Amino acid sequence: MLTPNQSSAGELLQFIRSGQANTRADLQQATGLSRSTIGQRLNLLNQAGWLKESTGSSTGGRPSQQILFDPTHASVIAVDLETRYARAAVLDLAGTILAEQTGPLRISDGPDQVLDQLAGWFPELITAAGIDAGHVRGIGLSVPGPVDYATGQVVEPPIMPGWDRYPVRERMQKAYADHVHADVEGGPVPVFVDNDANLMALAEHQANHRDCTAFVLVKVSTGIGAGVVVGDTVYRGIDGGAGDIGHIRLHDQPDALCMCGSYGCLAAVASGGALAKQLAALGIDADSASDVRRLLGDGHPDAIRLAREAGRRIGEVLVTVITLLNPGVLMIAGDLSGAPFMTGVRELLYQRAFPRATAHLQVVTSRLGDHAGVIGAASMVVEFLYSPASADARLARLAL
């Protein structure tokens, strides 16, 4: 039970959103607040338009009124940036995609051009979603590089030239204002940025593995990265560097030059980009991780062989990851996450890991597929905007 001084309107909203308490009686029991105080704080949430009511099931008496979070009262824009294309979407607050667009976009063109190009997509997306610009409450951006979450800045990204310490939030806000001509609640639209593997892990965990208290997702595309969810929270480390397993050094690959400039990194040997180079050296038309994905889909024997070997090399590193974190679910996602690669991962993992570390481990592939990035980016926005502290601050502003 929360003490009364903790049980603000934002705290009540947290109980409602999580499904822990969805009637007035449940909220009283959970918080210890009086019925009148509960009513006052629910009024604040209702006046903001954040709640809806539904009639619950009856066991013989009068059915109780269920108090629910209304995911349709606002929308968010989410963007999943890859190295050569992007996916942008408008979603409601429950993660339902209302409209989306994908298109070619080279992250190497730099943040000014890329963010402006993305913002140019937004007016049509907003129209396609059937909403007006005032309905959008925030923008979430998923990027293929390490992110200092507190500042929203990309930090020393190997495959994002020109993005290091760039003010992504501020530039995205300006681009949004230039193309959409709308603010949010009297100010610029809030922008949130995080690493792609983190956001994919958040989305997959919330959608299908909420009961897993330690969850690891490994994305293998142009590079290699991992997202870790502990409890219900993404673990980012002290400055966003957690999960950057693609730059763990392999002792037997001293001549493999990585995109980061170092030699022997896992990504230089087993990523989609590395496999594309190996296939090209064999005279096969492959220039990117998406080309490797296409070749695997076509059943190309060299692509299958190399993908399985890449899975084994990553499996070597994942033995340590699994031993350290003891997760219940290890999910493989990205361009290489097909049967050959998964076979290689499982071979090494179960061969090398201590049996206790894998006794209750599920090794699975992505359920959300190519939409995991935008769903995770949208969830990042929603989780911040409707957290107790943020919700209380927004309610205070709305009351002015």
Side-chain angles (χ1 to χ4, degrees), residues 218 220 224 245 250 266 269-272 275 278 296 303-319 330 332 336-352 363:
V218 178
V220 189
I224 301 170
I245 64 172
L250 301 177
L266 178 65
V269 176
S271 66
L275 264 62
Q278 294 169 37
L296 288 169
I304 290 172
R305 173 179 58 81
L306 290 173
R308 181 167 178 170
E309 178 57 29
R312 290 175 60 84
R313 297 315 305 256
I314 291 178
E316 294 177 34
V317 170
L318 291 179
V319 168
L330 169 64
I332 308 297
L336 298 192
S337 60
F341 184 86
M342 291 293 290
T343 298
V345 170
R346 288 191 174 103
E347 283 176 355
L348 254 290
L349 200 57
Y350 290 108
Q351 175 186 336
R352 301 276 183 87
V363 183

Side-chain angles (χ1 to χ4, degrees), residues 78-81 85-89 100-103 118 121 370-371 374:
V79 177
D80 182 16
L81 267 179
Y85 73 95
R87 181 186 304 273
E100 67 177 307
Q101 177 177 339
T102 60
L118 283 171
W121 296 0
D370 291 339
H371 289 106
V374 291

Side-chain angles (χ1 to χ4, degrees), residues 349-375:
L349 200 57
Y350 290 108
Q351 175 186 336
R352 301 276 183 87
F354 191 62
R356 188 181 183 283
T358 57
H360 303 289
L361 177 68
Q362 300 178 57
V363 183
V364 301
T365 55
S366 169
R367 296 273 295 275
L368 298 177
D370 291 339
H371 289 106
V374 291
I375 293 172

Side-chain angles (χ1 to χ4, degrees), residues 16 34 53 63 97 104 116 129 138 176 182 194 214 294 302 375 387 395:
I16 294 166
S34 68
E53 291 196 356
I97 295 174
D116 190 68
Y176 181 83
D194 202 359
R294 170 180 53 79
D302 286 313
I375 293 172
S387 66
L395 289 170

